[in-house]
Amino acid sequence: MGWAVGVYVLSNCSPVEWLDVGVLVLLCGTSFSGKSTIARALAPRLAAQIVSLDEINERRGLWGGDGIVVEEWVRTLQIAHGEVRELLAAGRSVVVDDTSSPRFLRDEWRALAGEVGARFTLLYVDVDHATVRRRHAANRVDSQRRDVADDVLDQHLAGFEVPAADEGAVRVAGVDQACRIGW
């Protein structure tokens, strides 16, 4: 099975050339679920630009793993929306790397894609909390990414809103599965 958008097909995770069709793939999942790994694998295969809210926060001197006040997250989201809108309007495809919780955030991204005529796909990285906590602990030993404070992770996991059935999310458990999905 391969990735398909209109008449453009990506099979076996090989690269494809896109014409002027913008595609927005919104990643959704908890911290340490593997979203960034999936984004890095999908972007070249979809000829897409990654827009990472963590990266935007870092450019702004912020780190979500330390906890960020709501007003700052709102500003980061506004910046991300602007970057994505510009890319999609230019016919580029985009992979948004974020937890995408709560639902209203996913709804905003879906609306943005609709406003610019881009195809929207919600990709939910479904990883159980035990795996997330193992990855979090392992990261503290062999730092692959910046840390997330225990209380921030606890709050995040407790408040994470899993996509509802009516959102049409494509559910994956990791990068290999994400590369095998037919779209």
Side-chain angles (χ1 to χ4, degrees):
M1 201 177 309
W3 296 73
V5 176
V7 296
Y8 312 106
V9 176
L10 173 63
S11 60
N12 301 322
C13 281
S14 58
V16 66
E17 284 188 35
W18 300 96
L19 296 179
D20 58 357
V21 176
V23 177
L24 172 56
V25 176
L26 177 63
L27 296 178
C28 175
T30 64
S31 295
F32 293 97
S33 63
K35 298 178 306 298
S36 296
T37 301
I38 290 172
R40 287 190 300 273
L42 293 182
R45 291 165 173 87
L46 298 173
Q49 176 78 35
I50 297 171
V51 174
S52 165
L53 276 74
D54 283 345
E55 181 182 303
I56 292 170
N57 277 330
E58 285 190 47
R59 290 191 320 235
R60 300 181 62 227
L62 304 169
W63 175 242
D66 295 334
I68 298 176
V69 298
V70 172
E71 295 81 13
E72 293 298 339
W73 272 114
V74 168
R75 180 65 189 129
T76 296
L77 186 62
Q78 290 170 340
I79 293 167
H81 279 187
E83 291 178 9
V84 170
R85 182 182 304 280
E86 184 177 316
L87 289 163
L88 291 173
R92 299 283 312 274
S93 292
V94 181
V95 176
V96 174
D97 181 5
D98 185 39
T99 61
S100 303
S101 177
R103 180 185 176 139
F104 79 86
L105 296 174
R106 298 187 294 268
D107 292 341
E108 287 179 4
W109 284 113
R110 185 183 311 272
L112 187 151
E115 289 168 15
V116 297
R119 179 180 166 139
F120 177 84
T121 299
L122 176 60
L123 190 61
Y124 172 46
V125 185
D126 187 8
V127 176
D128 63 85
H129 289 190
T131 300
V132 166
R133 291 192 185 282
R134 276 195 308 276
R135 290 176 179 174
H136 182 236
N139 187 66
R140 288 188 167 162
V141 174
D142 181 20
S143 184
Q144 297 295 313
R145 57 169 277 183
R146 289 185 63 180
D147 193 30
V148 174
D150 291 333
D151 62 327
V152 172
L153 183 62
D154 291 344
Q155 182 180 17
H156 169 65
L157 293 175
F160 185 83
E161 289 184 29
V162 173
D166 68 322
E167 293 182 77
V170 178
R171 188 178 297 249
V172 298
V175 69
D176 292 337
Q177 193 176 16
C179 284
R180 290 193 309 264
I181 294 173
W183 296 58

